[in-house]
Amino acid sequence: YWADDFGNKVNRSRFELMKYAASVQDILVPMGMMRGEAAKLSKGIVELAIDVGSFSNVDAATVSRDFNSALVGNHETVRKYGIVISEARMKQVALDEGIIKAGETLTDQQKILARLALLQKDSTDAMGDAERTAQSYANVMQGLNAQASETAVIIGDFLLPVVKATAQVFTVLL
């Protein structure tokens, strides 16, 4: 399972990774992308966001939000990570990557693919950083936070039926 494997490698919560991937997929699917392709791209975007966050010492939730914002056109949100997305660069990368042919205009889906290509291109120094530096202080602290998050979800799942039953009893009594 992707979230378990990647989460273990980079000291992150699988539940947080799945949440980040779902938020990206919620952008890609309405833009016309097939669910399978959107799921695959979402995982790659999340992995890149984790690496950029690790490389820049910024929490993953912030980088994930910034990447999502950039994917839909708010390019300013990623400049602080050294990622520069402009209309001219999007068009050029779309031509270079074969997303469009010369003279074509970019559709919304093609713009997202071009933005993603630029996110990746401008983040090459950060790629793999979270795994390479998994034992650094910052990433060990991320791991501790991930363990606390995982534990809270597991305890919550265990207690949910008890809480529901208790609430139903009080509802009847009131």
Side-chain angles (χ1 to χ4, degrees), residues 27-162:
I27 292 169
L28 300 178
V29 171
M31 298 301 284
M33 198 167 289
M34 300 299 290
R35 288 198 183 280
E37 182 66 17
K40 181 180 167 192
L41 284 174
S42 295
K43 291 173 189 175
I45 293 167
V46 169
E47 289 177 9
L48 185 60
I50 297 296
D51 284 335
V52 168
S54 174
F55 190 77
S56 303
N57 289 320
V58 177
D59 70 285
T62 300
V63 180
S64 182
R65 268 192 312 276
D66 290 344
F67 276 26
N68 286 352
S69 190
L71 285 174
V72 295
N74 186 0
H75 305 150
E76 290 294 318
T77 62
V78 294
R79 286 198 180 196
K80 60 188 159 206
Y81 310 117
I83 300 167
V84 180
I85 301 174
S86 66
E87 293 298 320
R89 283 191 81 206
M90 280 189 339
K91 186 146 188 157
Q92 187 59 53
V93 80
L95 285 167
D96 294 345
E97 302 267 329
I99 297 170
I100 62 168
K101 293 179 180 144
E104 291 181 349
T105 55
L106 292 165
T107 66
D108 287 339
Q109 185 179 14
Q110 290 167 329
K111 285 180 182 179
I112 286 177
L113 293 174
R115 290 177 186 126
L116 175 57
L118 287 169
L119 286 172
Q120 292 170 331
K121 183 178 184 129
D122 289 357
S123 301
T124 54
D125 288 345
M127 287 180 180
D129 187 75
E131 190 172 352
R132 275 193 310 274
T133 62
Q135 299 308 313
S136 71
Y137 176 77
N139 283 330
V140 168
M141 294 309 293
Q142 287 279 347
L144 289 172
N145 286 336
Q147 287 301 317
S149 174
E150 297 263 333
T151 302
V153 170
I154 291 167
I155 290 171
D157 284 347
F158 177 75
L159 293 176
L160 186 60
V162 175

